[in-house]
Amino acid sequence: MAATAPPSPLIPTPTPPETASLRNPIFARIRIAYSSDAPLLHKLIYQLAAYHRRTHIFSSTESSLSATLSNSQPFQSITIFLLEVSPTPFPDVPVGYEPPITRILNLDLPIVDPESQEFGSGGEAVVVGFVLFYPKYGILLGKAGFHVAGIYVRECYRKKGFGKMLLSAVAAQAVKMGYGEVEWFVFNWNVNAIGFYKKMGAEFHEQTTICRLAHDALQACGSLS
């Protein structure tokens, strides 16, 4: 009878390093913007105007933003969600009117932000972007909703989930308030934004044309009454 082969030596299962699940974690927070945030918001809105090729009509000022935010009740008038990030957790304390939304994102690579000092918002926090929205009424739907007037994420933070966080925050607030829709406009040339919105499940109305009265045309039309 052949001898029984000795048992194979036990090979311990390798233990993955503790940092494997969080390669490059970054802490994100969405909160309501207040008048004290006007200087940072003014810079962000100018960058949005540059991205949309509209700096020639940019006339917003820090003072006008501060006054608007001071006189606006969140969700009943103009509201701005501000998105901040930090390499360390945000303090677990109330911030303003509503509790902030916090997330931990695990990135493949760390983000190099050349404007981190310019957009610093206190401590290690840096402002990434914003979304501005206000109530509307869907006359055919028969329900109130939100109109998003502007959403923007700074260039080095794009395609990392931050735009999705901002738009989702507005949608969640609409659902919370029993609203029926969230709508916004997008330029036809902005294929990146269009692709992003389609992934978010947005419907597109190709036959709609935006009409606007502004400046001299607004004054002239108003004088007809």
Side-chain angles (χ1 to χ4, degrees), residues 105-180:
L105 283 77
N106 186 21
L107 307 177
D108 292 331
L109 296 171
I111 297 174
V112 178
D113 183 356
E115 299 176 305
S116 60
Q117 291 187 343
E118 184 178 355
F119 285 94
S121 56
E124 297 181 283
V126 176
V127 171
V128 167
F130 76 96
V131 58
L132 186 154
F133 58 100
Y134 51 82
K136 62 175 289 291
Y137 187 79
I139 189 170
L140 300 181
L141 189 64
K143 282 188 174 184
F146 284 133
H147 177 78
V148 174
I151 181 170
Y152 181 74
V153 173
R154 293 201 287 121
E155 186 173 2
C156 62
Y157 292 96
R158 292 174 194 161
K159 298 184 178 181
K160 294 175 174 61
F162 295 113
K164 182 178 180 179
M165 281 186 63
L166 284 167
L167 193 56
S168 296
V170 179
Q173 186 63 38
V175 171
K176 180 180 178 181
M177 298 176 67
Y179 284 3

Side-chain angles (χ1 to χ4, degrees), residues 83-100:
L83 174 58
E84 301 167 302
V85 297
S86 172
T88 57
F90 287 95
D92 187 18
V93 294
V95 181
Y97 183 83
E98 285 278 319

Side-chain angles (χ1 to χ4, degrees), residues 22 71 181:
L22 290 174
N71 297 319
E181 63 183 1

